[in-house]
Structures are given as structure tokens and as C-alpha cells.
Amino acid sequence: MKYVSAFVFFLLSAGLSRPTLAQQPTPPTPVQGQRLELPLEMYNSDVQVLPMPQDSSLLLLVDKDPLGNRRLEYSIQKYDHRLQPRWTKALEVPREFEMRQLSNEGNNAYALFQSESVEHRLWVAAINGDNGQIKTFTFDTKLARSIYDLKVIGGNLFVSVLVDNHLTILLLDLAANKFQFLPSVYEPLPTQLSFLADSAARRAEFVLSQTNGFKNRLQLKQLSAEGKLLRSEFVQAESERGLISAQISPATDSANGRLLAGTYTLRDARYSQGLFAADLSAGVTPTGSRRSLRFYDFANLKHFFDFMSPGRAARLRQRSEKMRASDKVLRLHYRTLIHDLVPFQGGYVMVAEIYYPQYRQNNYGMWGGPFLPYSPYRYGNYNNNNWYGSSRQAEGYRITHALVCGFDNRGNLLWDNTFVLKDVYTNSLTETVHLRPLPDGQRVAIAYLDQEKFNYKVIDHSAPSPNDLHVELQTAALPTVKEKATSTNQERLLTWYGSKFLAFGYQNIRTEKAPNREVFFVNVIGFE
């Protein structure tokens, strides 16, 4: 009997000395206060959703017949923070043009269309978000082909486009009704690029990847709202590490430092070995090296391997420690998609999604082979890419987890955490998870949408917390109404303002005492 008592005492002592998830504070449950429904079917309509954070409003561009033979007529609808209608305007688009990009600056929105028959011909609708007034412009650029991204600074449109197998920026000056290609950004494919539109400072900040086949570095370029090159500088490591992707903080936040944070590699630019961060305001040494450049190997982070089983993660850490004792490094093979930096507690939160491409023809195993995706941060000829000696196409992408890290403005890593995703597959390499700070100013919520489920995690710095929290999207305004979504399609999640998210898509809803309905929905999901 004394052995049983001793064993029980051991278990109790272990439970008291080691914190568990059950002992953590109960995470808040998201609130779904508002829902918008439009009587639209997925097969004969198309809806673009544009959050307008400045006045907490929402803009919808609705095409009720995208496959028809008539002239395209969009309905532009504005809603306030309660999803109550403000105004509706009609937008007639010439039949040859197809919607490509949608962006906003302040309360103004900009819709960019491209001709289906003549790629270099563009059509722009500038929409005044206050009263719905619309102005249209046509540009025949002669050279522009593929359109990748659109951002707006000072009313000028910065469009990343493909010209002669080079990535460049097309500047559309709506006030003067003219355009120009910016020679300061003209990079051969493949390349990685991140672009920050700093409207407050009226600056465009570009981070471009460059390689000579052995060494990777970054080039930073700062342009005015008129497209004039203001500054250019290089950031590189003196060791064998190569810098492959990064995001930069706004110039308006530079009083206490200017953060550049991203991922680095050991020789192979396809794979990230860890994170790096630098305070750009710290300057360089006489030899050109960065005093503030810091590196954080994934193997040394507290939560990076949370997506693995505990045993496998422990074995990897042990192997890394043994190699480090022998002055060697455990080489990791992770592909990362870096999000824009999010201001938090006087510093920034960086989110990096970890993914694996899946190929149509794979002779190297399910996840092997070269890196051929298109993303907002990597541009390449993905239809016929000979980079790394292969022409295979990525069929889709598996997202395993999202790394969430807190930095101060000087590049010091303050904490790390991980959001483990379950069986997330996407056809295109775009941001899957989204993050918002919570009202208490101490925590952040990170989430993604999977059909009717809003999956989320509440992160309090490095403290462990559940990865499997979720709520069903509400369809009924009243809890007494019994109804259920039988299918949800083309679902997406975006951040709005404060701690609010926007979930939207198409749903077929079955009700108990009324006919089924098919709608385009928008749900507001927030934390209070």
C-alpha cells in the first residue's frame, strides 16, 4: 500500500509543478454580432469584398452575371460597421475587361481591370467611399502583361506587373491620366518581393531578393508617391547565411528603430533555416555589415515544433543540440510565407506560414522537389520554370502551422508561439491565417476559415494554449430560429478593424419552417 501512496503522491506533485493547458486562463469566445446576406448564387454571381478600416466600413463589388454576354454592370455597395447599407452605385465596365485587383487608400477604393484580348490595356475605376462618386480611366501600357498586386499611395496606383520576363512597377497617375514604368524596380525572374505602402509617410517600401547562385541578399528601395527613387541599400550577412525574404516596418514608426524581419537560409534559397531581424536605423560598420543583424534558428525556438508529436520534436531538438556541440548545424527544410508586420505592444508581431507544395508529377516523394509557386512575395514563370532544373508545377499547398513571433523595434525576439493547422490545403499560395490584437492589449487572436468553422487560437506571448478552438458560423439572427448551413463554398477570412474579422462566401441554408435559401454571406466575428 505504501508504494501505491508514493506513486499517487508523485503524480500529484508532477501535476502541481508542471503547468498544463487546463490551468491556463479560459480563452475568450468570439462574438458574432452582425451578418449580411445577399440573395446570390455561386454559379451566376461574383462578389469582391474590400474592408475599409479607416471608417470601419465595408465595400462590396457585386457582379450578378459574370458569364453573360451583356455589358458588365457591377453593383458597388457600401455598409457601415453594423453591416447596415449606406449607399449603392452602378458601375458599367466595358465587356473586354476583367476584374484583377482591388485596393483602397483611406476612404477611397480602386478597382483595376485588364483586357482579356489585349493584356497591356487596363481600365481603372476610382470610387469615393464617402459618396460613391466614380471616375474611370483607360491606359494602354503597350508592355504590361501579368498583374500581381496593387497598392495605392497618394492617389497613385503602384501595380506590380511582368514585362519581358522581369518584375517591375507600373505607376498609374490618375490625376494626370498618365502612366510610367519605374526603372528603379526591374528584377529578372524568379525573384521575391514584398511591398509596403506607407500612406502616412507617402512612401513605397520595396524589399527585393537577389542571388548570385551561392549567396542571397536583400535590396531595400524607398520610392516617393510619385515614383521617384529616394533611397536604396543592401542587407546581407557576412556568414554562410543568406537572406531570402523579409518585411519592413513603416517609416512613420521609425522613431524608436526601423525593423526588418524575415527568413534566412543556409545555401539553398528554397528553404528557410530560421528567422532574422535587424534595426535598420542602427547603421552599418565601415566594412558594410549590419551591427543589429540577429539570427534565430527554428530549432532554438520554443514552439516551432509544436505541430509534431512530442517524441519527434524531442528527438529533433536532441539532434540539433548534439550537432551544435560539434560546431555543426542541423539543416532544416521549411518553406515559409511571411505576412506583413502587425504593430503590437510597441513592437511588431510577425506571422510565417509553413507550407509544402504538392506536385502533379513527383518523382521525389509527396513533398520533395523544387520550389515553383507564385505568391505575393515570390514571382516566377510558374508555367515553364527551369529554376533548379525542373518544369514541374505545384498543384497545391499544405499548410502545417503558422509561426507567430513578437519583436521589439530593435530586432530582439521577445517570444514565439505556433498555431497548428489541421489538414489545410489551398490551390494558390496566399495567406491562410489572419491575426488581430485583442482589446486587452496583451494577447492576439489568429484564425482561419474552414467551410462553416472559424478556427482560432488566442496567443499570450509564449504561454501554451489550445490549437483546436472553433465556432460555427451563425446563420440565424435569432437563436430561436432553427436552421443549418448544408454547404459553404468560396469561403474566405479577412481582418477588418479593432479585433474583428470578416468571414464571407456562399452558403446553402436549410431551415425548419421555410424554403432553403442560397446566399452570399458576410459574418462579423470579433473578440470583446
Side-chain angles (χ1 to χ4, degrees):
M1 178 67 87
K2 64 179 180 180
Y3 298 107
V4 175
S5 300
F7 180 68
V8 172
F9 176 77
F10 171 76
L11 290 178
L12 291 174
S13 300
L16 291 173
S17 62
R18 183 180 179 181
T20 64
L21 292 181
Q23 295 174 318
Q24 298 299 318
T26 303
T29 301
V31 176
Q32 301 181 60
Q34 297 89 28
R35 176 179 169 93
L36 170 68
E37 288 188 359
L38 301 179
L40 299 172
E41 296 181 350
M42 179 178 61
Y43 301 103
N44 60 8
S45 68
D46 183 60
V47 183
Q48 307 290 328
V49 177
L50 182 64
M52 308 283 281
Q54 179 162 306
D55 65 351
S56 306
S57 65
L58 180 67
L59 209 64
L60 300 185
L61 271 69
V62 182
D63 182 7
K64 294 184 179 181
D65 188 16
L67 301 179
N69 294 319
R70 60 171 175 76
R71 188 180 181 88
L72 282 175
E73 182 171 298
Y74 280 81
S75 170
I76 307 178
Q77 306 172 14
K78 183 170 182 177
Y79 298 86
D80 64 16
H81 67 283
R82 297 170 297 178
L83 295 186
Q84 297 299 309
R86 291 277 301 277
W87 51 255
T88 298
K89 302 289 183 179
L91 172 65
E92 289 191 352
V93 181
R95 166 51 56 182
E96 68 172 295
F97 291 99
E98 184 174 329
M99 179 74 182
R100 288 289 183 258
Q101 296 286 336
L102 185 64
S103 187
N104 72 291
E105 183 183 37
N107 287 338
N108 297 321
Y110 302 86
L112 176 63
F113 296 77
Q114 184 179 29
S115 172
E116 293 183 283
S117 56
V118 185
E119 286 184 292
H120 53 72
R121 187 179 299 155
L122 305 177
W123 194 84
V124 176
I127 306 158
N128 185 313
D130 294 325
N131 54 30
Q133 181 180 358
I134 301 172
K135 296 181 180 179
T136 63
F137 308 84
T138 302
F139 299 93
D140 193 342
T141 67
K142 306 297 184 183
L143 297 174
R145 294 294 184 265
S146 299
I147 294 175
Y148 295 124
D149 200 5
L150 165 66
K151 295 188 179 180
V152 188
I153 305 174
N156 291 332
L157 276 59
F158 287 73
V159 189
S160 55
V161 297
L162 189 65
V163 173
D164 295 333
N165 214 35
H166 284 68
L167 178 70
T168 189
I169 300 299
L170 171 65
L171 177 64
L172 302 180
D173 184 342
L174 303 186
N177 199 17
K178 64 181 182 180
F179 70 90
Q180 61 173 315
F181 291 98
L182 303 183
S184 55
V185 181
Y186 190 71
E187 294 294 322
L189 298 180
T191 187
Q192 293 194 61
L193 176 148
S194 64
F195 173 22
L196 173 68
D198 190 347
S199 293
R202 292 179 58 86
R203 298 286 187 269
E205 304 277 358
F206 292 91
V207 182
L208 299 151
S209 67
Q210 296 182 340
T211 181
N212 58 8
F214 301 96
K215 188 73 173 178
N216 294 80
R217 69 179 182 182
L218 300 176
Q219 185 175 19
L220 313 182
K221 295 189 176 184
Q222 186 182 84
L223 279 68
S224 69
E226 295 72 34
K228 180 182 178 181
L229 179 64
L230 302 176
R231 183 173 180 175
S232 179
E233 60 181 316
F234 293 101
V235 180
Q236 60 187 16
E238 293 184 336
S239 63
E240 63 175 338
R241 302 181 182 98
L243 311 184
I244 54 177
S245 63
Q247 295 288 349
I248 192 171
S249 65
T252 47
D253 297 345
S254 60
N256 296 316
R258 189 81 190 281
L259 180 63
L260 179 75
T263 56
Y264 74 90
T265 184
L266 296 177
R267 299 181 184 174
D268 194 334
R270 294 173 294 175
Y271 304 119
S272 298
Q273 179 72 23
L275 306 176
F276 82 89
D279 176 12
L280 298 178
S281 64
V284 298
T285 66
T287 61
S289 64
R290 293 276 169 180
R291 297 186 179 93
S292 61
L293 199 56
R294 299 175 176 86
F295 297 92
Y296 306 96
D297 194 305
F298 288 148
N300 296 332
L301 299 182
K302 183 176 181 179
H303 289 284
F304 184 83
F305 296 123
D306 283 2
F307 73 103
M308 297 180 178
S309 66
R312 185 184 174 195
R315 289 191 296 271
L316 265 178
R317 294 188 187 280
Q318 290 172 2
R319 184 181 173 192
S320 175
E321 291 173 2
K322 288 181 180 179
M323 295 186 69
R324 193 181 303 115
S326 303
D327 293 328
K328 297 179 181 179
V329 177
L330 174 64
R331 294 188 183 275
L332 303 175
H333 294 81
Y334 293 102
R335 295 174 168 93
T336 55
L337 178 63
I338 308 295
H339 294 211
D340 288 347
L341 301 175
V342 178
F344 183 67
Q345 294 184 330
Y348 291 91
V349 173
M350 187 184 75
V351 175
E353 294 185 34
I354 314 301
Y355 69 92
Y356 296 92
Q358 184 172 342
Y359 298 100
R360 292 194 181 102
Q361 297 178 352
N362 199 330
N363 299 322
Y364 302 94
M366 178 174 290
W367 307 117
F371 174 36
L372 303 177
Y374 156 74
S375 80
Y377 310 103
R378 181 182 291 271
Y379 301 83
N381 185 358
Y382 47 93
N383 292 321
N384 185 21
N385 195 318
N386 292 318
W387 196 27
Y388 302 114
S390 176
S391 60
R392 294 183 301 158
Q393 296 179 6
E395 190 175 53
Y397 307 91
R398 295 281 180 185
I399 316 296
T400 60
H401 60 296
L403 178 64
V404 185
C405 296
F407 290 93
D408 66 16
N409 285 333
R410 302 298 182 183
N412 296 301
L413 179 64
L414 305 177
W415 52 267
D416 74 271
N417 217 310
T418 290
F419 182 29
V420 180
L421 281 64
K422 180 184 291 187
D423 298 327
V424 175
Y425 175 86
T426 178
N427 292 321
S428 59
L429 192 58
T430 56
E431 294 179 0
T432 298
V433 301
H434 297 272
L435 179 141
R436 294 305 300 160
L438 295 191
D440 62 12
Q442 300 299 315
R443 298 172 294 175
V444 297
I446 186 169
Y448 69 97
L449 204 60
D450 182 12
Q451 296 184 341
E452 298 87 32
K453 289 184 178 180
F454 176 81
N455 301 280
Y456 70 99
K457 178 174 183 173
V458 175
I459 294 176
D460 185 355
H461 301 85
S462 291
S465 58
N467 285 281
D468 57 355
L469 301 176
H470 72 273
V471 294
E472 299 281 340
L473 295 180
Q474 294 180 2
T475 60
L478 298 174
T480 55
V481 177
K482 294 184 178 181
E483 61 182 34
K484 181 180 180 181
T486 58
S487 66
T488 302
N489 297 285
Q490 298 183 18
E491 69 274 11
R492 285 195 61 196
L493 186 71
L494 293 175
T495 58
W496 198 8
Y497 68 93
S499 62
K500 298 184 185 297
F501 298 83
L502 290 172
F504 56 92
Y506 290 89
Q507 282 185 331
N508 191 291
I509 300 172
R510 183 178 62 207
T511 60
E512 189 178 52
K513 297 181 180 181
N516 292 359
R517 66 184 188 272
E518 187 165 349
V519 299
F520 180 86
F521 73 92
V522 180
N523 277 33
V524 179
I525 306 174
F527 292 84
E528 298 178 351

